[in-house]
Amino acid sequence: QVQLVESGGGLVQAGGSLRLSCAASGRTFSSYAMGWFRQAPGKEREFVAAISWSGGSTSYANFVKGRFTISRDNAKNTVYLHMNSLKPEDTAVYYCGASLTLIATIPYDVHYWGQGTQVTVSS
């Protein structure tokens, strides 16, 4: 089992940057593919970015390509989401998820979720 705790959210102006972190418990973190998803009020949870267990493969939603970067540090049991050029439409609760699939790009493939961290982008 994996427990996930996100941090790094907050209020930022449009065009600004944030770095989200997701710390995982357990010795098997490196066995899991990791992903970031987000959910805005009244909307379904949607895929943002994903990374394979080794970090060798990544995938991004079209709306964040070129702006967000996912990375992981298996020695620290942590996955990151670097967010640049933030837009008001990026406002949402951001969740990290752990998956036993090769790379998780849909919520259905996520086996463990964190509690989420709020990101608010003001215009």
Side-chain angles (χ1 to χ4, degrees):
Q1 190 169 354
V2 176
Q3 293 184 327
L4 305 172
V5 178
E6 301 97 333
S7 61
L11 174 64
V12 64
Q13 289 188 333
S17 300
L18 283 174
R19 187 185 78 164
L20 304 184
S21 299
C22 174
S25 64
R27 298 181 179 179
T28 59
F29 173 75
S30 61
S31 299
Y32 290 88
M34 299 296 296
W36 286 96
F37 296 76
R38 69 186 188 186
Q39 189 166 16
K43 295 187 176 181
E44 294 186 350
R45 193 168 298 189
E46 64 180 355
F47 168 69
V48 176
I51 190 166
S52 62
W53 68 269
S54 67
S57 297
T58 57
S59 180
Y60 295 92
N62 286 335
F63 54 78
V64 302
K65 283 183 179 178
R67 300 190 298 126
F68 292 8
T69 302
I70 189 170
S71 62
R72 67 188 295 161
D73 186 338
N74 286 343
K76 295 182 178 180
N77 281 12
T78 303
V79 62
Y80 305 97
L81 185 67
H82 303 257
M83 306 187 294
N84 298 317
S85 303
L86 283 161
K87 305 175 182 179
E89 51 264 44
D90 293 319
T91 295
V93 177
Y94 283 71
Y95 298 88
C96 72
S99 173
L100 292 171
T101 61
L102 290 177
I103 195 162
T105 60
I106 57 175
Y108 181 81
D109 284 340
V110 173
H111 296 88
Y112 301 103
W113 291 101
Q115 83 290 348
T117 185
Q118 177 70 47
V119 171
T120 303
V121 184
S122 63
S123 57

